[in-house]
Amino acid sequence: CCVLLSLNRGLQAWFSTQRIPTLVLGSCHPGVTLPSLDVDYRSICRHAAGLLQAKGHRRLAFLVPHSDLAGDLASESGFREGIARGAAEGRVVRHNGSNSGLASALRILLGAPRPPTALLVAKPRHVFFVMAWLLREGRSVPGQISVIARDHDPLFANLVDHYRFNRDTFARRLGRLVRGMAGQQFLPLAPHLILPRFQAGATIGPPACR
């Protein structure tokens, strides 16, 4: 039996053609049919885009690493779906994951004629960098710009608006699937998704200007 962690599209596609009991710990790329277990990133980002629009924001941006991982691609799809449901402008901004890459993306994004009034940010360490960069540049959060973290970090509690799931629940689901794969060989070809709950913090407010 194989448990695959964060593989690219080509390797996932190869495993899908083999007679090997397999579970993807993460999301499958489009066109790949394998059992999988992941957080429902698509729903998270769709909800975040809707929540920010409900707060009055009409210019949003999603900062995400240029990883080509299925979970990040699903996040982009969910964000675009959330934007399409409302009347906001939305941009997906991919970066290389480095501090300099993030800083460059933020300078270009916020220096535009119509800069976003709210940011959705993937990966906890990137959230910390974005918050520090904004404050260093004199932009108050959430006074001048709102921020939502796609992922959870213990330091976010009551401070940063983010999405959180019970890790014990994830571990139990994973254990059941692995035991099922070991006992029955092949699992049903279906995604198993865990939907995190939104945890309110202090980084979302109404837009300073519309």
Side-chain angles (χ1 to χ4, degrees):
C1 300
C2 294
V3 177
L4 312 181
L5 176 62
S6 298
L7 292 185
N8 60 36
R9 187 191 304 268
L11 284 171
Q12 284 190 3
W14 183 85
F15 272 95
S16 70
T17 65
Q18 307 303 305
R19 294 293 297 169
I20 302 172
T22 302
L23 173 67
V24 175
L25 187 53
S27 295
C28 289
H29 285 274
V32 174
T33 52
L34 288 170
S36 63
L37 173 65
D38 201 6
V39 174
D40 192 346
Y41 289 114
R42 187 171 189 161
S43 293
I44 287 174
C45 295
R46 185 170 56 234
H47 179 271
L51 177 64
L52 290 169
Q53 290 178 85
K55 291 287 186 179
H57 293 276
R58 294 297 177 263
R59 299 192 302 275
L60 316 179
F62 176 35
L63 286 164
V64 61
H66 199 336
S67 66
D68 200 36
L69 295 178
D72 287 340
L73 296 175
S75 296
E76 293 181 19
S77 296
F79 178 75
R80 290 192 177 97
E81 289 169 4
I83 293 295
R85 291 181 174 182
E89 303 171 20
R91 291 185 58 187
V92 173
V93 180
R94 296 181 177 180
H95 57 85
N96 63 12
S98 68
N99 288 349
S100 60
L102 262 171
S104 177
L106 286 166
R107 279 194 295 270
I108 294 171
L109 191 61
L110 298 179
R114 290 174 56 81
T117 60
L119 301 174
L120 171 63
V121 185
K123 311 294 184 185
R125 70 182 184 88
H126 296 159
V127 173
F128 289 120
F129 179 86
V130 167
M131 296 283 289
W133 188 91
L134 291 171
L135 295 175
R136 187 184 65 193
E137 295 294 312
R139 298 174 184 266
S140 63
V141 179
Q144 292 176 287
I145 188 164
S146 292
V147 176
I148 296 183
R150 183 193 68 178
D151 308 291
H152 169 72
D153 187 278
L155 295 178
F156 289 166
N158 301 319
L159 295 174
V160 179
D161 293 85
H162 68 285
Y163 293 85
R164 180 178 184 178
F165 64 92
N166 189 310
R167 295 187 181 276
D168 290 338
T169 299
F170 191 93
R172 287 194 295 270
R173 292 277 294 274
L174 175 60
R176 285 198 297 269
L177 288 168
V178 170
R179 288 194 300 272
M181 184 167 58
Q184 305 169 16
Q185 291 282 304
F186 295 97
L187 295 170
L189 298 176
H192 298 265
L193 296 173
I194 292 178
L195 182 61
R197 298 182 63 182
F198 175 71
Q199 300 290 306
T203 56
I204 298 178
C209 58
R210 294 177 186 264

